[in-house]
Each structure stands twice: as structure tokens, then as C-alpha cells.
Amino acid sequence: MTDLNRLFFALEIPKARQQEIVRWRAAHFPPEAGKPVAAANLHMTLAFLGEVSAEKQQALVDLAGRIRQPGFTLRLDDAGQWPRSRVAWLGTRQPPRGLLQLAAMLRAQAARSGCWQSPQPFHPHITLLRQTDSALRLPAPGFCWECPVTEFVLYASRFSQGRTRYQPLQRFALDKES
Ligand code: 2AM
């Protein structure tokens, strides 16, 4: 039987920023608000690939390696929730064009390679809490954190000993921000 890996492309959130996000979350949400995502797992998904064979992974890596586009700056200045999926998230009021282009390209490559893609439009977000309480009220973010983006990352999602870990498998450099 072929081994499958659960894969996705995402933007890594630098460690210092992950810690800042976690401090903001702890200050604004009581423990009963929902299940917090571990600091090291905070990321922004660009394209979810699902369960992928080694051959398909190589094909997706080759395609992603051909992407040429400049880096960009992501401003985290928005927070919201999706009551149906019971998720609270951080995001950006004005997604940079480079972010939208990169996600569109990776999603199109994934679709062409036979990975199921959600018909939902791309909504850039960092999941903060899962299984949120229905009474959750989100505070206004009150910050504008700037994250320069110089690369994107292929991650494997692994579940062991009751915990999900996202393991970076490969990094793809973007060109210098223009
Ligand atoms: P989420 O944070 O919005 O839940 C690893 O699981 C990453 O892939 C998570 O960021 C998750 O998004 C995303 N993901 C998981 N399952 C997905 C699916 N079926 N469609 C799109 N994205 C998915």
C-alpha cells in the first residue's frame, strides 16, 4: 500500500510573532472560549492538499518550485469567527496582491494535480481557537502586526500521542519584495 502524507502549503509565522499572538489570545479569551491552537502550529494556509502519495508530493513540489513572484508584507490587523465551523481567527483587512496570487497559483496547481480543492474562495486566516463557544465575542484586534513574507512552506500534518504537529518539509523562496 502507498504511504500517504497529509500536506498543505502555508506561510510560517515567526516564533516571536507566534508568542505575541498567544499572549494577545490569553489576554482576550477566557479558557472556556475554545480550544487554543498550539503556538508552534499557528500558520496561514495557502492551499490544502489532503492525503498525498510520495509521487504526487514530488510533482507538487516541482510545480511549486517553478513559482516566481516577489515577497510581500502581511499585516495582521483583523480578527473574526466562523460560527458554523466554530473557529476564531486572525487575518488581514487588505490581503496583499502577492498573497492572493500565491494562494491562487498553489490552489490551481493542486487542483490540476488531482487534489480536491474547496469551492470556497480563499480567505487568508490564522486559526486561533477551534470548537469555539457559541457566546464568544471577538475583541477588536487593536494592533497591526507586520510580517514580511520571503518564502512559503510545504508542511505535513502529523497526529501522534493525541497531538497534531505541523512539520515543515520544504521551503520555497520568494523573490525580493519589489
Ligand atoms: P484551518 O486552520 O482553517 O482549519 C492543516 O490542517 C491546515 O489545513 C489547517 O490550516 C486547516 O485550515 C487546513 N485544512 C484542513 N482541512 C482542510 C480542508 N478540507 N480544506 C481546506 N483546508 C483545510
Side-chain angles (χ1 to χ4, degrees):
M1 205 180 94
T2 327
D3 275 347
L4 297 177
N5 276 320
R6 189 176 174 83
L7 303 179
F8 61 98
F9 286 106
L11 300 182
E12 185 175 58
I13 304 297
K15 280 212 162 26
R17 191 64 78 197
Q18 287 176 331
Q19 292 304 325
E20 225 164 343
I21 293 173
V22 165
R23 281 196 294 275
W24 178 83
R25 180 176 64 188
H28 289 85
F29 297 99
E32 64 276 15
K35 200 169 158 228
V37 173
N41 281 355
L42 293 169
H43 65 279
M44 179 173 280
T45 298
L46 298 166
F48 181 69
L49 305 173
E51 308 283 335
V52 170
S53 67
E55 294 75 33
K56 192 177 277 189
Q57 177 177 334
Q58 189 55 53
L60 287 159
V61 161
D62 291 345
L63 287 171
R66 287 191 213 138
I67 293 177
R68 290 282 164 274
Q69 73 161 71
F72 49 86
T73 299
L74 178 65
R75 290 185 182 79
L76 296 175
D77 58 358
D78 198 13
Q81 59 181 320
W82 293 319
R84 274 182 65 186
S85 47
R86 298 181 59 203
V87 155
W89 49 264
L90 279 190
T92 179
R93 283 170 200 275
Q94 287 201 309
R97 185 178 300 177
L99 169 64
L100 299 178
Q101 266 172 9
L102 182 57
M105 189 89 80
L106 290 169
R107 283 162 61 114
Q109 289 180 343
R112 278 204 305 275
S113 305
C115 301
W116 179 85
Q117 291 298 290
S118 162
Q120 298 283 345
F122 174 61
H123 187 294
H125 67 280
I126 298 170
T127 299
L128 285 181
L129 297 168
R130 299 188 191 278
Q131 298 165 32
T132 50
D133 187 275
S134 54
L136 178 67
R137 292 290 165 269
L138 274 185
F143 52 74
C144 177
W145 287 326
E146 298 218 334
C147 303
V149 176
T150 57
E151 62 176 16
F152 61 98
V153 182
L154 175 67
Y155 284 93
S157 172
R158 307 216 192 275
F159 187 77
S160 75
Q161 297 173 331
R163 291 173 63 180
T164 299
R165 284 192 182 76
Y166 300 141
Q167 182 190 356
L169 298 181
Q170 197 149 342
R171 295 171 184 279
F172 301 84
L174 296 169
D175 295 338
K176 275 207 173 5
E177 198 170 342
S178 48

